Amino acid sequence: DDEGLHVIRLYDEIPVVVMSADSHLTAADELDLGDLADEVVITPADDVLGMPLPAGAASPRFDPPETTGDAIATVAAGVGVVIVPMSLARLHHRRDTAHRPLRGGPASSVALAWVADRTTPEVEAFVGIVRGRTANSSR
């Protein structure tokens, strides 16, 4: 909901599937939603994608982990997979996990946002920098 906000969309992140390094899913360079059939898909409480469970996939029989880091630690132990944006997979990377891009999964938008009535000259200068303007650029 961007009511009352100024929003500058920066880029979209691709979703990835994080799995144990020993998983059979690591044989593929990319995965489709259909590849997750019969997999246990863990959705952490701090999930940012809001993606529905892929067809044929199962929910875990335990409460969702509180954080993405906890979900990835669970996956590292060989229990299920987790779907996250690439940046979160990189942030929580471990030697005992691997990740593969998920074709057909939801992209995650990264944006710069601020409250519209709080726009100051400093905010405008920062926005200019984000958009690539320099001291020698004209508006």
Side-chain angles (χ1 to χ4, degrees):
D1 181 18
D2 61 359
E3 187 176 326
L5 298 176
H6 286 301
V7 179
I8 299 174
R9 199 165 155 182
L10 301 175
Y11 59 92
D12 288 332
E13 282 196 86
I14 61 168
V16 298
V17 179
V18 179
M19 76 273 314
S20 167
D22 298 341
S23 172
H24 68 282
L25 295 174
T26 60
D29 291 332
E30 291 185 326
L31 298 169
D32 289 312
L33 290 171
D35 295 327
L36 301 180
D38 301 324
E39 296 292 330
V40 173
V41 177
I42 300 169
T43 304
D46 67 353
D47 176 47
V48 296
L49 293 177
M51 182 178 153
L53 193 64
S59 295
R61 294 185 178 176
F62 50 85
D63 290 335
E66 287 296 314
T67 67
T68 298
D70 293 340
I72 290 176
T74 303
V75 165
V79 178
V81 300
V82 64
I83 302 168
V84 296
M86 176 76 79
S87 62
L88 290 180
R90 287 181 175 161
L91 174 67
H92 298 290
H93 177 72
R94 303 166 45 121
R95 281 193 240 167
D96 48 0
T97 63
H99 64 272
R100 299 291 184 267
L102 178 62
R103 288 186 301 253
S108 174
S109 294
V110 176
L112 176 64
W114 68 97
V115 177
D117 2 346
R118 293 189 185 162
T119 302
T120 64
E122 291 81 11
V123 170
E124 288 179 358
F126 182 68
V127 168
I129 293 166
V130 168
R131 289 187 170 159
R133 290 194 294 258
T134 65
N136 299 326
S137 301
S138 64
R139 284 190 96 151

